[in-house]
Amino acid sequence: MSIALCLNLAVLTTAYAQDGDAIDEMFSKLAAPEGEGWRIAETDILREWSKSGSAAMDMLLQRGEGALDIGDPESAIGHLTALTDHAPDFAAGWQARAAAFAMLGQTGPAIEDLRRALQLEPRHFVALTQLGALLEEMGDTHRALAAYRASLKIHPYQQEALDAVARLERETSGTRI
């Protein structure tokens, strides 16, 4: 699946429901312009995404994320590959492994894992922002902007994506003489 198709999947988020009404309500609160309820919704969504339904798979995710936290992407890839092998429909495993690949400069495998995460959960704003960062590093400004904007449609308060859009819009608009 191409990056363009990956971005198109993310745009179809309004028709997609992962865990029914509860998570849909969380996403509604995440995008709500009033108050600070989005912070709670963000935390709730991330917590839901970290639950595979299996204690063993959740432990592999925790170990992989722990290895990422201490800067050990090789160990993270080991744990997260075991996770994606045993729980191939668990988007969080693919997104986390993409982060590990990105830490090692392995852009192709990282993008492929993000593609799979977004196929499983098109509203995965973390994966979309991560995709934007990878595309930006590759110099693909227009597709990076598209990924960041798609992420902001889902979660309009992500500072990393907001900063990236502002930076890339300045970069692409140029200076008129």
Side-chain angles (χ1 to χ4, degrees), residues 3 9 18 84 101-102 125 163:
I3 293 170
L9 278 172
Q18 179 179 341
T84 58
F101 281 133
F125 52 86
D163 293 345

mmCIF file of all heavy atoms in Angstrom, residues 3 9 18 84 101-102 125 163:
data_model
loop_
_atom_site.group_PDB
_atom_site.id
_atom_site.type_symbol
_atom_site.label_atom_id
_atom_site.label_comp_id
_atom_site.label_asym_id
_atom_site.label_seq_id
_atom_site.Cartn_x
_atom_site.Cartn_y
_atom_site.Cartn_z
ATOM 1 N N ILE A 3 2.004 5.354 0.337
ATOM 2 C CA ILE A 3 1.818 6.390 1.348
ATOM 3 C C ILE A 3 0.542 7.160 1.067
ATOM 4 O O ILE A 3 -0.200 7.500 1.981
ATOM 5 C CB ILE A 3 3.040 7.319 1.402
ATOM 6 C CG1 ILE A 3 4.258 6.540 1.922
ATOM 7 C CG2 ILE A 3 2.780 8.524 2.281
ATOM 8 C CD1 ILE A 3 5.555 7.270 1.794
ATOM 9 N N LEU A 9 -6.637 6.414 3.827
ATOM 10 C CA LEU A 9 -7.273 5.642 4.897
ATOM 11 C C LEU A 9 -7.526 6.517 6.115
ATOM 12 O O LEU A 9 -8.578 6.437 6.736
ATOM 13 C CB LEU A 9 -6.388 4.462 5.316
ATOM 14 C CG LEU A 9 -6.446 3.217 4.470
ATOM 15 C CD1 LEU A 9 -5.364 2.237 4.908
ATOM 16 C CD2 LEU A 9 -7.802 2.571 4.560
ATOM 17 N N GLN A 18 -13.601 1.672 16.173
ATOM 18 C CA GLN A 18 -12.799 0.557 16.675
ATOM 19 C C GLN A 18 -13.538 -0.196 17.769
ATOM 20 O O GLN A 18 -13.761 -1.381 17.672
ATOM 21 C CB GLN A 18 -11.467 1.058 17.201
ATOM 22 C CG GLN A 18 -10.602 -0.049 17.744
ATOM 23 C CD GLN A 18 -9.269 0.461 18.231
ATOM 24 O OE1 GLN A 18 -8.834 1.520 17.876
ATOM 25 N NE2 GLN A 18 -8.631 -0.312 19.066
ATOM 26 N N THR A 84 3.857 -8.135 17.112
ATOM 27 C CA THR A 84 3.157 -8.057 15.825
ATOM 28 C C THR A 84 2.971 -9.439 15.200
ATOM 29 O O THR A 84 1.992 -9.661 14.484
ATOM 30 C CB THR A 84 3.870 -7.106 14.841
ATOM 31 O OG1 THR A 84 5.213 -7.546 14.646
ATOM 32 C CG2 THR A 84 3.857 -5.677 15.346
ATOM 33 N N PHE A 101 12.071 1.344 14.442
ATOM 34 C CA PHE A 101 12.743 1.359 13.136
ATOM 35 C C PHE A 101 13.222 2.771 12.799
ATOM 36 O O PHE A 101 14.327 2.956 12.289
ATOM 37 C CB PHE A 101 11.820 0.838 12.031
ATOM 38 C CG PHE A 101 11.700 -0.659 11.965
ATOM 39 C CD1 PHE A 101 10.460 -1.263 11.864
ATOM 40 C CD2 PHE A 101 12.829 -1.478 11.973
ATOM 41 C CE1 PHE A 101 10.339 -2.649 11.788
ATOM 42 C CE2 PHE A 101 12.721 -2.870 11.892
ATOM 43 C CZ PHE A 101 11.472 -3.451 11.804
ATOM 44 N N ALA A 102 12.395 3.757 13.085
ATOM 45 C CA ALA A 102 12.770 5.147 12.794
ATOM 46 C C ALA A 102 13.998 5.560 13.601
ATOM 47 O O ALA A 102 14.877 6.253 13.086
ATOM 48 C CB ALA A 102 11.596 6.076 13.072
ATOM 49 N N PHE A 125 -3.732 9.033 15.445
ATOM 50 C CA PHE A 125 -3.079 10.329 15.264
ATOM 51 C C PHE A 125 -1.589 10.269 15.564
ATOM 52 O O PHE A 125 -0.798 10.995 14.957
ATOM 53 C CB PHE A 125 -3.772 11.415 16.092
ATOM 54 C CG PHE A 125 -3.954 11.086 17.545
ATOM 55 C CD1 PHE A 125 -2.963 11.345 18.471
ATOM 56 C CD2 PHE A 125 -5.148 10.521 17.986
ATOM 57 C CE1 PHE A 125 -3.139 11.035 19.813
ATOM 58 C CE2 PHE A 125 -5.341 10.225 19.326
ATOM 59 C CZ PHE A 125 -4.330 10.479 20.247
ATOM 60 N N ASP A 163 3.197 22.537 15.311
ATOM 61 C CA ASP A 163 4.486 23.178 15.015
ATOM 62 C C ASP A 163 4.992 22.777 13.631
ATOM 63 O O ASP A 163 5.518 23.615 12.890
ATOM 64 C CB ASP A 163 5.527 22.811 16.070
ATOM 65 C CG ASP A 163 5.225 23.393 17.441
ATOM 66 O OD1 ASP A 163 4.380 24.317 17.539
ATOM 67 O OD2 ASP A 163 5.830 22.915 18.423
#
